[in-house]
Amino acid sequence: MAHTLSADDIREDFSQAMSAMYQQEVPQYGTLLALVADVNLAVLENNARLHEQLANADELARLNVERHGAIRVGTAEELATLCRMFAIMGMQPVGYYDLSVAGVPVHSTAFRPVDDAALQRNPFRIFTSLLRLELIDDPALREKAAKILARRDIFTPRCRALMNLHDKQNGFNAEQAQEFVHEALETFRWHRHTTVDKETYEALNRQHRLIADVVCFPGCHINHLTPRTLDIDQVQSLMAEYGIEPKAVIEGRRAVRYRYYCVRPALRRWKSRLLLPAMPAARIPRVLVKLSSVGWH
């Protein structure tokens, strides 16, 4: 086989493609990236010591690379296939989080690179949650949700074929990797059309809006992506100037000044964008900007 691309190369291409797709879906996300880049530049211009520290740690080149995305899936088979997909990108499941204790009917893990060299190259990670159908109170609704999920396939046939090819030849050449990124991206694309009728959607939404979000769509669309900022307070204060409406508070605990923070924009995609039978909706998305002071490596 021709030159094999590394998992780091594929992960970097995929993270850039996901960011570009998300900016198309939510144009204000591009505005947010510009705001964060402006704030980071201003911080570095006014703090020579920090600039030197980041340069010595080889952090400057990847300062504006998104570090974190989040998705939700509905079945164990979907999660297992995502394990295969992310493994091709050098991302392994790390950690376990039972969010049901917080009233959210999922348990989760984070797919990310694990060795230092891969983290230094591109630390992109995807926080992935699996729906817990057993937490749906109504047995009939629980069974209906399970049947809906069993009918869908969030992966394109070509994506599945390419994953099999990767296993067979133990890698991709450049052309195959490019096609794989393109096909894998379709799993995470936003779809305006639900796969259920209005009555089913509303029943699941009443149970928990996250259940409706997972069950009622063709894929596991991106919940959010996070750019990194060196001054989360400054980002928060400038959002209005950039035409972004922030949340009222910054979530999470504060750490030392200039630690990396994450700015988490999440789509308010519910009735404002959904196309349900007999319920057409506007196409223009709204953005709910969520600031989180969580840092990681």
Side-chain angles (χ1 to χ4, degrees), residues 111-185:
F111 288 92
R112 66 171 178 85
V114 294
D115 64 74
D116 291 341
L119 287 166
Q120 189 65 31
R121 169 69 182 276
N122 186 301
F124 184 65
R125 80 173 193 172
I126 296 283
F127 191 79
T128 303
S129 298
L130 173 64
L131 181 63
R132 297 182 62 182
L133 288 176
E134 72 273 14
L135 297 180
I136 297 178
D137 297 330
D138 183 340
L141 187 62
R142 182 168 61 244
E143 182 180 359
K144 188 172 187 178
K147 290 180 178 179
I148 293 168
L149 290 170
R151 291 196 299 264
R152 77 177 185 180
D153 189 350
I154 65 175
F155 307 96
T156 69
R158 183 56 182 162
C159 183
R160 288 185 178 275
L162 285 166
M163 286 189 284
N164 291 337
L165 178 63
H166 185 276
D167 292 345
K168 181 179 180 179
Q169 62 187 24
N170 196 31
F172 283 143
N173 61 33
E175 183 179 352
Q176 292 165 346
Q178 183 179 21
E179 186 181 10
F180 169 73
V181 167
H182 173 78
E183 294 294 331
L185 206 62

Side-chain angles (χ1 to χ4, degrees), residues 30-284:
T31 304
L32 179 66
L33 292 179
L35 166 57
V36 170
D38 289 346
V39 168
N40 288 346
L41 179 61
V43 168
L44 293 173
E45 288 179 343
N46 289 284
N47 191 323
R49 182 179 178 183
L50 176 64
H51 188 283
E52 182 180 2
Q53 289 175 344
L54 294 179
N56 291 339
D58 293 327
E59 287 279 349
L60 288 178
R62 63 186 183 97
L63 177 59
N64 292 325
V65 175
E66 289 91 345
R67 292 174 65 95
H68 174 79
I71 59 171
R72 302 160 182 153
V73 296
T75 69
E77 191 279 333
E78 290 175 352
L79 181 61
T81 306
L82 282 176
C83 283
R84 294 182 62 201
M85 176 187 287
F86 290 139
I88 293 172
M89 306 178 202
M91 300 163 68
Q92 305 299 324
V94 178
Y96 173 81
Y97 309 87
D98 180 6
L99 300 187
S100 66
V101 297
V104 182
V106 299
H107 42 189
S108 310
T109 190
F111 288 92
R112 66 171 178 85
V114 294
D115 64 74
D116 291 341
L119 287 166
Q120 189 65 31
R121 169 69 182 276
N122 186 301
F124 184 65
R125 80 173 193 172
I126 296 283
F127 191 79
T128 303
S129 298
L130 173 64
L131 181 63
R132 297 182 62 182
L133 288 176
E134 72 273 14
L135 297 180
I136 297 178
D137 297 330
D138 183 340
L141 187 62
R142 182 168 61 244
E143 182 180 359
K144 188 172 187 178
K147 290 180 178 179
I148 293 168
L149 290 170
R151 291 196 299 264
R152 77 177 185 180
D153 189 350
I154 65 175
F155 307 96
T156 69
R158 183 56 182 162
C159 183
R160 288 185 178 275
L162 285 166
M163 286 189 284
N164 291 337
L165 178 63
H166 185 276
D167 292 345
K168 181 179 180 179
Q169 62 187 24
N170 196 31
F172 283 143
N173 61 33
E175 183 179 352
Q176 292 165 346
Q178 183 179 21
E179 186 181 10
F180 169 73
V181 167
H182 173 78
E183 294 294 331
L185 206 62
E186 292 304 308
T187 294
F188 310 99
R189 188 178 299 279
W190 166 251
H191 298 272
R192 295 182 66 206
H193 294 83
T194 67
T195 58
V196 302
D197 56 31
K198 180 179 178 181
E199 181 181 359
T200 301
Y201 174 83
E202 291 182 343
L204 291 168
N205 195 47
R206 284 193 299 270
Q207 183 73 36
H208 196 289
R209 67 176 183 84
L210 185 147
I211 296 174
D213 183 50
V214 174
V215 174
C216 299
F217 293 89
C220 57
H221 47 261
I222 307 164
N223 177 255
H224 65 256
L225 286 178
T226 61
R228 298 187 298 175
T229 178
L230 299 174
D231 191 338
I232 199 167
D233 297 300
Q234 184 68 355
V235 171
Q236 172 88 352
S237 68
L238 289 174
M239 281 183 176
E241 293 183 21
Y242 281 71
I244 302 173
E245 181 182 356
K247 291 191 71 176
V249 296
I250 298 176
E251 297 180 357
R253 61 181 177 84
R254 296 295 177 83
V256 294
R257 189 165 178 80
Y258 301 128
R259 181 177 179 177
Y260 286 134
Y261 294 98
C262 297
V263 184
R264 296 180 52 189
L267 294 183
R268 184 174 292 170
R269 279 166 161 165
W270 306 110
K271 292 184 180 179
S272 63
R273 281 200 75 194
L274 299 186
L275 284 185
L276 292 155
M279 195 174 78
R283 185 178 183 86
I284 301 175

